[in-house]
Amino acid sequence: LLIVALLAWHYRATWNDFRPAPTFGKIILGILTGILVWGAWVGLDGRYPALPFLGSRASFDPKELAPIAHWSFIGVRLLGRVVVVPVIEELFWRSFLMRWSIENEFLRVPIGKVTPMAAAVTSALFALAHPEWLPALLTGALWAWLLWWTKSLSACAISHATANLALGVYVIATHDWKFW
């Protein structure tokens, strides 16, 4: 986490795709879609077939650790999932891959341009990157829609951070560690 965070900070000049800052309405829409995404991940759990070639998520129960290590583990996981992962993944999935799916010279494609094919490709690949393939597929499609509707990569990052924060709070409250 520290290495990725330091590299991301070092190359923060490349974060131009997060500009301009989202309006209040786009922030609210990002938060609401993030809550919807969280609901899909939790609500669909166990209600769709596993795809063996995607593997499964190994869970780790931090209560096996001493209290200071337990809460340190949770703090680091939350920091990574809520701050670092949304920035890095949105830069990859919806800034780079979405636009590259439209045109190889992806920098010519404006943020927020989404074609049905690009949305399908990025959503399918996002699903293949997760053992929880069905909620990931729906999440990819929802975030493609959010990007198209708002023309804001920041709204997608806010949605991603909201979903991950809600999932983190859910995991801590229920001890359902398989989501982490």
Side-chain angles (χ1 to χ4, degrees):
L1 173 66
L2 182 60
I3 292 168
V4 171
L6 289 173
L7 284 169
W9 184 253
H10 179 74
Y11 291 104
R12 66 190 176 279
T14 63
W15 296 5
N16 290 332
D17 292 347
F18 288 111
R19 293 187 185 100
T23 62
F24 180 74
K26 291 176 183 179
I27 292 169
I28 296 301
L29 189 56
I31 291 169
L32 292 174
T33 57
I35 292 168
L36 186 60
V37 164
W38 166 77
W41 285 75
V42 173
L44 291 172
D45 184 46
R47 301 182 192 276
Y48 56 93
L51 299 179
F53 64 90
L54 293 178
S56 62
R57 192 173 300 277
S59 63
F60 172 72
D61 186 348
K63 73 179 173 193
E64 297 175 15
L65 302 171
I68 188 86
H70 169 88
W71 289 109
S72 296
F73 174 83
I74 289 173
V76 169
R77 286 297 278 193
L78 271 177
L79 181 66
R81 298 278 178 147
V82 176
V83 178
V84 178
V85 167
V87 170
I88 300 302
E89 287 196 0
E90 293 312 313
L91 283 170
F92 175 73
W93 292 106
R94 276 151 287 280
S95 173
F96 164 69
L97 192 59
M98 180 71 71
R99 296 187 298 163
W100 186 75
S101 297
I102 296 169
E103 181 179 331
N104 286 347
E105 295 291 329
F106 73 95
L107 292 175
R108 294 183 190 175
V109 179
I111 292 292
K113 181 172 183 178
V114 177
T115 65
M117 179 60 79
V121 165
T122 57
S123 297
L125 290 174
F126 190 71
L128 291 174
H130 295 83
E132 304 87 354
W133 64 270
L134 182 56
L137 180 67
L138 297 172
T139 297
L142 186 59
W143 285 340
W145 170 83
L146 182 64
L147 180 65
W148 170 79
W149 182 260
T150 64
K151 309 292 187 250
S152 172
L153 190 64
S154 295
C156 293
I158 289 166
S159 182
H160 202 145
T162 300
N164 287 0
L165 176 61
L167 194 56
V169 169
Y170 174 82
V171 166
I172 293 165
T174 64
H175 304 277
D176 198 353
W177 303 107
K178 71 177 175 273
F179 288 106
W180 266 14

